[in-house]
Structures are given as C-alpha cells and as structure tokens.
C-alpha cells in the first residue's frame, strides 16, 4: 500500500536529483540523462502515478536552471508504455532494446528526439552482426541525424573492447540506406 509518505519521499528525491544534476552541469557536464533504473518493475499506472511526476520534477528543475543543456530521459524497461513518456519535459527519450526502433519512432512520432536502442548483447557477436544492428537502428529511427545512437542499456561486463570499436566505427561510417 502506498500513500502520502511515498509521494512525499519521491518528491523530495526528485528535488535532490534535480539540484544534483544542475550541480553536475555547473561542474562541466554537457548533457544529463535521467535514468529510471527500476521502470521495468512498474506497471503503466504506477509509472504514471509515482515515477513520472518525480522524473518530471527533476527534469523541470534542471531545465529551469540550465535551459540550454540537453536532458535525456531513460526508463529502463519502460518501452511498454513509451506513449506515456512523450511529455516528460526532456529534450530526448532513450529507449531500451525491448522495442523495435521503428515501433518506438511510430509511438513517439517524428518530432520527438530519440536515443537507443541496440541490444547490448550484440556486442558479443561478429563484426558483421554489429554493423548490421547499427544500420538497422539508424534506418528505423528515420535515417542518419534522426536520433542519437546508443545501446539499449549500456555495455555489459565482459564485452570485447574491439566490438565497441566496431560499433562506433559503423556509427561514424554509415550514411543511410539511400547513400
């Protein structure tokens, strides 16, 4: 059972996160990502009731103090309720690998900047598999320049460094399917 105590706690936490992120910018951070680590544990209703207002408050604090610094929002495992994230108040929505990038783009629309969403396990694959994954995500997001390439959730422990290099190189090289 959740009541006013959890709501107040989340509100206080959002205040501290927003202020801390603003401090990070004052110390040189050029981009901030608000990362909802436990979104995969929340139903859409719980996300909307608890996590979303707290994240929106933190983002608002950051944007009020530093309106020109990009803020990315990432709800780990939250791709099943992506439509609830369009109005977070951030500059970009990051998506995990549990949703096809074309579907994420369709849900968010062409005007919402998007980041993601290569499955991090692909980095244990071959160079060709990694390069194809990069091309697929770029094309499904709308082509080069339409999104920020990223893994759907960070580099896993034990990932070969060479694989990360292949991913970065292909991101730089690929100019789109029509090039």
């Amino acid at each position: 059972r959740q009541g006013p105590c959890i709501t107040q706690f989340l509100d206080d936490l959002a205040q501290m996160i927003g202020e801390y992120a603003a401090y990070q910018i004052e110390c040189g951070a050029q981009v901030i990502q608000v990362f909802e680590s436990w979104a995969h544990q929340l139903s859409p209703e719980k996300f909307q009731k608890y996590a979303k207002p707290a994240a929106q408050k933190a983002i608002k604090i950051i944007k009020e103090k530093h309106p020109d610094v990009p803020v990315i929002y990432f709800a780990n495992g939250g791709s099943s309720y992506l439509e609830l994230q369009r109005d977070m108040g951030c500059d970009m929505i990051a998506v995990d690998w549990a949703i096809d990038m074309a579907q994420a783009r369709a849900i968010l629309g062409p005007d919402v900047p998007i980041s993601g969403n290569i499955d991090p396990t692909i980095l244990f694959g071959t160079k060709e598999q990694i390069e194809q994954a990069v091309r697929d995500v770029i094309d499904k997001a709308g082509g080069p320049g339409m999104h920020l390439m990223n893994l759907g959730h960070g580099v896993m422990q034990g990932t070969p460094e060479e694989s990360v290099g292949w991913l970065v190189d292909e991101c730089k090289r690929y100019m789109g399917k029509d090039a």
Side-chain angles (χ1 to χ4, degrees):
R1 184 172 112 108
Q2 294 90 12
C5 185
I6 190 71
T7 304
Q8 184 61 54
F9 173 72
L10 292 171
D11 189 68
D12 291 347
L13 194 58
Q15 181 72 36
M16 289 183 272
I17 289 169
E19 289 176 11
Y20 184 69
Y23 173 74
Q24 290 294 311
I25 293 166
E26 290 153 18
C27 291
Q30 297 173 341
V31 176
I32 294 291
Q33 180 163 303
V34 176
F35 194 110
E36 181 60 61
S37 301
W38 291 94
H40 62 286
Q41 299 292 330
L42 300 173
S43 68
E45 295 79 23
K46 297 282 189 200
F47 172 79
Q48 191 143 341
K49 185 174 182 178
Y50 297 109
K52 183 175 181 177
Q56 285 176 313
K57 179 177 180 172
I59 291 166
K60 183 177 179 189
I61 291 167
I62 299 164
K63 295 306 285 181
E64 284 176 351
K65 292 184 177 189
H66 301 283
D68 297 329
V69 174
V71 176
I72 302 167
Y73 178 74
F74 177 59
N76 181 34
S79 56
S80 64
Y81 45 84
L82 202 52
E83 70 281 356
L84 300 176
Q85 299 172 44
R86 280 188 283 233
D87 62 346
M88 294 303 296
C90 58
D91 299 292
M92 179 176 284
I93 299 291
V95 295
D96 59 35
W97 69 95
I99 188 168
D100 183 78
M101 181 56 85
Q103 184 182 3
R105 173 52 75 207
I107 291 168
L108 292 173
D111 298 326
V112 175
I114 192 168
S115 171
N117 74 332
I118 292 179
D119 181 342
T121 63
I122 196 68
L123 295 177
F124 291 96
T126 66
K127 181 179 181 186
E128 293 73 26
Q129 290 169 323
I130 294 167
E131 290 173 344
Q132 187 60 53
V134 167
R135 294 188 294 268
D136 289 346
V137 167
I138 289 172
D139 291 339
K140 289 178 179 183
M146 295 303 294
H147 93 299
L148 178 65
M149 178 59 73
N150 200 353
L151 295 173
H153 184 282
V155 178
M156 297 173 68
Q157 187 174 15
T159 297
E161 290 181 29
E162 181 179 46
S163 296
V164 176
W166 293 335
L167 180 130
V168 171
D169 290 345
E170 187 63 10
C171 290
K172 293 177 180 179
R173 186 198 68 74
Y174 188 61
M175 304 307 267
K177 61 185 173 189
D178 298 327

